[in-house]
């Protein structure tokens, strides 16, 4: 193997980022502040999911990315929710339900290094959020107004991370993300998460 090839294989000398494409996968976990119509306060829910992304280098520091994210929350309880059962008078009770969804977002990614790469991404997009039947805890009753539903959701997110280019073809990284989403028929939802990612790098123009 030539000395030139050996030098090219060293992670610290691998070229980034213009004309470079990356396929990435990031399993993630975090928490979300969920709103429920009729609830006296917000609820804190744990959630997790998987993000799959594709990015392309517009310059040595700027990528354009598209990312598909899948999410699901644990069963979440909302205290002191005002509901009406079978058209009767309104009453308060504790409600539990799950939520989840899928989103597609696009935006710029700034990569500020070569071997060790600080990363900042800002994305926006849309998706579908699903909420399961809202059940009154301990009764098995699902009020008519709390039936399962799904709706359009608009999202904005930011992600800050640090990647390590382990070879000219692979990078690994850790990230922290924040997201805000909501829709015409859905309450606002704010979330924070952490993730680990693996990316495969190639150069379509080579």
């Amino acid at each position: 193997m030539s000395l030139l090839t050996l030098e090219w294989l060293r992670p610290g000398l691998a070229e980034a980022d213009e004309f470079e494409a990356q396929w990435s996968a990031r399993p993630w976990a975090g928490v979300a502040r969920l709103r429920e119509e009729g609830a006296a306060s917000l609820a804190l829910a744990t959630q997790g999911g998987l993000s799959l992304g594709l990015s392309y280098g517009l310059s040595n520091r700027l990528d354009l990315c598209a990312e598909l994210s899948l999410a699901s929350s644990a069963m979440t309880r909302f205290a002191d929710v005002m509901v009406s059962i079978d058209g009767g008078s309104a009453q308060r009770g504790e409600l539990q339900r799950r939520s989840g969804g899928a989103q597609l977002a696009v935006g710029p990614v700034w990569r500020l290094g070569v071997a060790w790469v600080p990363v900042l991404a800002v994305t926006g997009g849309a998706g579908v959020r699903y909420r399961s039947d809202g059940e009154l805890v301990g009764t098995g009753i699902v009020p008519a107004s709390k039936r399962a539903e799904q709706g359009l959701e608009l999202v904005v997110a930011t992600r800050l991370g640090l990647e390590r280019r382990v070879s000219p073809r692979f990078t690994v990284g850790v990230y922290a993300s924040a997201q805000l989403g909501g829709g015409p028929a859905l309450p606002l939802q704010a979330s924070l998460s952490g993730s680990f990612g693996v990316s495969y790098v190639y150069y379509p123009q080579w």
Side-chain angles (χ1 to χ4, degrees):
M1 185 179 292
S2 69
L3 289 176
L4 180 61
T5 302
L6 286 172
E7 287 295 301
W8 183 77
L9 287 175
R10 290 173 56 191
L13 297 181
E15 289 296 326
D17 284 309
E18 189 174 11
F19 308 130
E20 176 183 278
Q22 286 193 26
W23 290 97
S24 62
R26 293 189 301 106
W28 59 269
V31 294
R33 296 284 284 177
L34 304 183
R35 296 178 181 270
E36 179 66 32
E37 297 87 339
S41 61
L42 302 179
L44 187 65
T46 57
Q47 60 178 5
L50 177 67
S51 294
L52 303 173
L54 172 63
S55 64
Y56 184 75
L58 302 179
S59 73
N60 287 337
R61 291 293 179 265
L62 178 64
D63 288 6
L64 179 64
C65 78
E67 192 166 82
L68 174 66
S69 295
L70 307 174
S72 180
S73 77
M75 186 67 77
T76 307
R77 292 191 174 189
F78 300 88
D80 201 23
V81 181
M82 182 69 75
V83 296
S84 176
I85 301 174
D86 296 331
S89 60
Q91 64 183 66
R92 292 193 176 275
E94 187 177 29
L95 191 84
Q96 63 180 12
R97 73 191 325 178
R98 296 178 185 273
S99 66
Q103 305 157 357
L104 181 63
V106 298
V109 181
W110 289 271
R111 301 184 186 277
L112 308 176
V114 178
W116 290 98
V117 188
V119 175
L120 173 63
V122 179
T123 59
V128 175
R129 192 198 306 176
Y130 168 80
R131 297 197 293 174
S132 69
D133 284 339
E135 179 183 303
L136 290 172
V137 176
T139 69
I141 297 174
V142 178
S145 62
K146 301 299 182 181
R147 297 290 185 187
E149 62 178 355
Q150 61 185 26
L152 174 67
E153 180 177 38
L154 302 179
V155 296
V156 291
T158 183
R159 182 174 76 251
L160 181 65
L162 181 64
E163 296 179 345
R164 171 60 175 169
R165 185 176 291 264
V166 295
S167 80
R169 286 292 178 262
F170 288 97
T171 66
V172 296
V174 291
Y175 311 89
S177 303
Q179 178 177 290
L180 181 65
L186 295 172
L188 286 175
Q189 175 176 310
S191 62
L192 297 173
S193 63
S195 61
F196 171 80
V198 177
S199 300
Y200 174 73
V201 180
Y202 69 106
Y203 298 84
Q205 296 191 7
W206 288 14

